[in-house]
Amino acid sequence: MASENENEISGAPAHPRPPRPSTITIGNHKLKPSTLMMGYGFDPELSEGSLKPPIFLTSTFVFESAAAGKRFFEGVTGRRPGGAEGLIYSRFNGPNQEILEDRLSVWEEADDALAFSSGMSAIATLLLTFVRPGDVIVHTGPLYAATETLIAKILGQFGVSWLDFPSGASREEIDAVVASAKAKGRVALIYLESPANPTNQLVDVEAVRAARDAAFGESERPPIAIDNTFLGPLWAKPLAHGADLSVYSLTKYAGGHSDLVAGGLVGKQKLIDQVRTMRNTIGTICDPNTAWMLLRSLETLELRMSKAGENAAQVCAFLREHPKVEKVGYLGFLEDGSRQADIYRRHCTGAGSTFSLYLKGGEKEAFAFLDALQIAHLAVSLGGTETLASAPAAMTHLSVPDDRKALLGITPNLVRISIGVEDADDLIADFANALQAV
Ligand SMILES: Cc1ncc(COP(=O)(O)O)c(C=O)c1O
């Protein structure tokens, strides 16, 4: 039917209404994240009834009027509180990334979330937001190698220093390091990684929070950020235990198919808004296609992680009893009554699917095992549908000095394994066969 105004296409208003709020409860029943991943934050009516969000490949967005454009800019630049009321430019945000951010927030019941082009760009943007020359960063050790490089070598060039405490540290040890850091300069950030890569040591987030709150007055408290890549968002939710921000390499379990690189940050509104301003400036947002792939991935996150976790429990039980195996560093095997077991009980709901296998012998035995695998792939990374195995001492941690490697237990006989969603018996057959080659 022809429109009264010949310049209008019937039924397609140029500037539709805002998206309808998604259903999050039915009566008193609160919907679970695995249900919300199917549709939360997306209103099909705004996209021709499309069940799935289209990929919005555009670099910029058309304003309804000059006044609307001004209002959006007032929001995005902070002149008006509450953030941008609409989309402006794709370095700032886009529909796919916004839906992704809404869904990322769901898992940890965070105020808000931000999507990034990689885990490292999320971490770099976070650090750049809070750290100034002369500041001190307190962090757990060890950290993912690139994070350590970023803090020590790159921020070090700008007069930033750091102090660390071991991942499994007690409240007293944390207090002592925080006190030394305070004596050194303004503490800008407390940065944690749990479990640590590759030692698998868990951080007591509640103790860190108590130490931070005891050492700093409310107005000077540094945010607590934590890398939750290994157990999040299913098996660990550190925001519930006192962290302010939880950062993710979405490349791993969230993406889950080893086919994308992305990062995420979830947490307190005020802090997320500060990081968003930095992200808008430097352009570390992920692209719409990657955001769309992540939406696809999040639909099966709980399924995939649960199956990988069950597989890992079976595989680890087999490996632990094998005569050629010295030790299996798996969170499901923490010693009853130990401090790590206590942290695990308070902070985690599952042992994950990434663990350390120490073979009897050295590099020769580790390589023989890796070269004989037929289902598991010899590759670095983790959290994908397929099982991966690698030798950290010879690969990811090759450049770490030998004495530090020894301190962290990164020995030549260590094989890191990330279990996928294959059949558990097939994986056990693969590992049994590879162990025969050792
Ligand atoms: C714990 C942890 N944090 C951060 C990263 C960096 O993530 P990305 O490779 O997505 O930049 C990784 C990557 O392996 C990681 O394992």
Side-chain angles (χ1 to χ4, degrees):
M1 194 175 85
S3 159
E4 279 180 23
N5 177 347
E6 286 186 1
N7 293 324
E8 265 179 31
I9 298 171
S10 169
H15 298 284
R17 58 169 174 76
R20 254 186 251 289
S22 305
T23 304
I24 52 171
T25 52
I26 294 177
N28 292 329
H29 177 82
K30 191 172 162 205
L31 300 180
K32 309 280 190 318
S34 55
T35 302
L36 294 175
M37 289 310 109
M38 307 310 163
Y40 184 69
F42 175 59
D43 181 348
E45 268 185 43
L46 297 185
S47 294
E48 310 282 353
S50 176
L51 174 68
K52 296 293 182 199
I55 305 179
F56 289 85
L57 291 175
T58 183
S59 60
T60 195
F61 297 87
V62 178
F63 303 134
E64 185 183 346
S65 64
K70 182 179 177 192
R71 209 170 53 248
F72 291 0
F73 267 95
E74 283 170 348
V76 84
T77 55
R79 293 231 186 147
R80 181 205 288 268
E85 285 172 34
L87 295 166
I88 297 177
Y89 182 63
S90 294
R91 199 182 75 231
F92 303 159
N93 221 328
N96 298 103
Q97 295 93 326
E98 284 199 339
I99 301 166
L100 171 62
E101 288 165 357
D102 285 350
R103 292 189 195 172
L104 286 176
S105 303
V106 164
W107 292 93
E108 289 208 50
E109 298 193 22
D111 296 342
D112 207 350
L114 294 169
F116 292 90
S117 56
S118 69
M120 281 319 300
S121 75
I123 294 167
T125 309
L126 164 73
L127 291 170
L128 276 180
T129 303
F130 296 109
V131 176
R132 303 197 297 256
D135 283 352
V136 188
I137 297 171
V138 172
H139 69 78
T140 49
L143 293 176
Y144 177 62
T147 311
E148 280 197 4
T149 302
L150 183 54
I151 292 175
K153 301 221 174 97
I154 300 177
L155 292 179
Q157 294 169 10
F158 300 97
V160 174
S161 61
W162 55 272
L163 277 181
D164 66 350
F165 56 83
S167 315
S170 65
R171 168 72 197 273
E172 292 69 33
E173 290 171 292
I174 301 166
D175 282 340
V177 172
V178 168
S180 309
K182 266 181 91 173
K184 241 175 138 180
R186 188 185 83 107
V187 179
L189 186 69
I190 301 180
Y191 186 87
L192 320 173
E193 183 178 303
S194 184
N197 182 5
T199 60
N200 258 9
Q201 288 280 302
L202 295 167
V203 178
D204 189 341
V205 181
E206 285 171 324
V208 172
R209 169 67 176 247
R212 192 272 312 261
D213 290 356
F216 299 92
E218 216 166 309
S219 61
E220 46 159 20
R221 274 182 198 155
I224 299 169
I226 180 165
D227 186 329
N228 194 30
T229 298
F230 275 79
L231 289 181
L234 191 66
W235 298 306
K237 300 182 192 300
L239 296 185
H241 302 289
D244 301 305
L245 292 165
S246 186
V247 64
Y248 290 87
S249 167
L250 300 178
T251 314
K252 309 294 168 6
Y253 287 99
H257 297 71
S258 306
D259 55 7
L260 61 85
V261 173
L265 184 70
V266 303
K268 298 239 167 75
Q269 191 66 58
K270 196 167 148 240
L271 301 171
I272 289 283
D273 286 344
Q274 285 173 264
V275 182
R276 181 189 285 108
T277 303
M278 178 61 73
R279 188 190 67 174
N280 285 351
T281 307
I282 63 179
T284 41
I285 192 168
C286 76
D287 66 274
N289 188 66
T290 302
W292 187 94
M293 287 172 74
L294 279 159
L295 294 177
R296 177 277 326 254
S297 294
L298 288 177
E299 294 185 6
T300 55
L301 181 121
E302 191 165 319
L303 267 181
R304 284 183 288 104
M305 290 184 81
S306 302
K307 169 73 172 159
E310 286 161 20
N311 279 355
Q314 290 186 48
V315 167
C316 287
F318 163 78
L319 290 172
R320 180 155 75 160
E321 301 304 325
H322 199 282
K324 291 187 179 166
V325 171
E326 185 185 292
K327 192 174 78 178
V328 179
Y330 166 61
L331 289 174
F333 295 159
L334 294 173
E335 206 183 310
D336 270 352
S338 66
R339 183 166 158 68
Q340 281 289 300
D342 174 50
I343 302 174
Y344 179 80
R345 184 184 50 75
R346 284 185 285 120
H347 288 8
C348 309
T349 55
S353 80
T354 302
F355 61 91
S356 300
L357 169 67
Y358 292 89
L359 296 170
K360 286 183 182 157
E363 185 181 271
K364 184 167 146 274
E365 285 72 17
F367 281 17
F369 173 76
L370 288 169
D371 288 339
L373 291 168
Q374 296 180 56
I375 296 176
H377 294 273
L378 175 49
V380 298
S381 198
L382 58 115
T385 46
E386 64 288 290
T387 296
L388 300 182
S390 63
M395 297 168 190
T396 46
H397 292 70
L398 184 65
S399 57
V400 174
D402 285 346
D403 51 342
R404 184 149 167 80
K405 265 194 230 166
L407 195 75
L408 298 176
I410 306 171
T411 45
N413 63 331
L414 163 63
V415 174
R416 275 293 267 184
I417 297 177
S418 165
I419 296 289
V421 301
E422 303 93 338
D423 181 86
D425 291 338
D426 291 353
L427 289 173
I428 290 170
D430 193 25
F431 289 133
N433 184 58
L435 282 165
Q436 273 180 5
V438 173

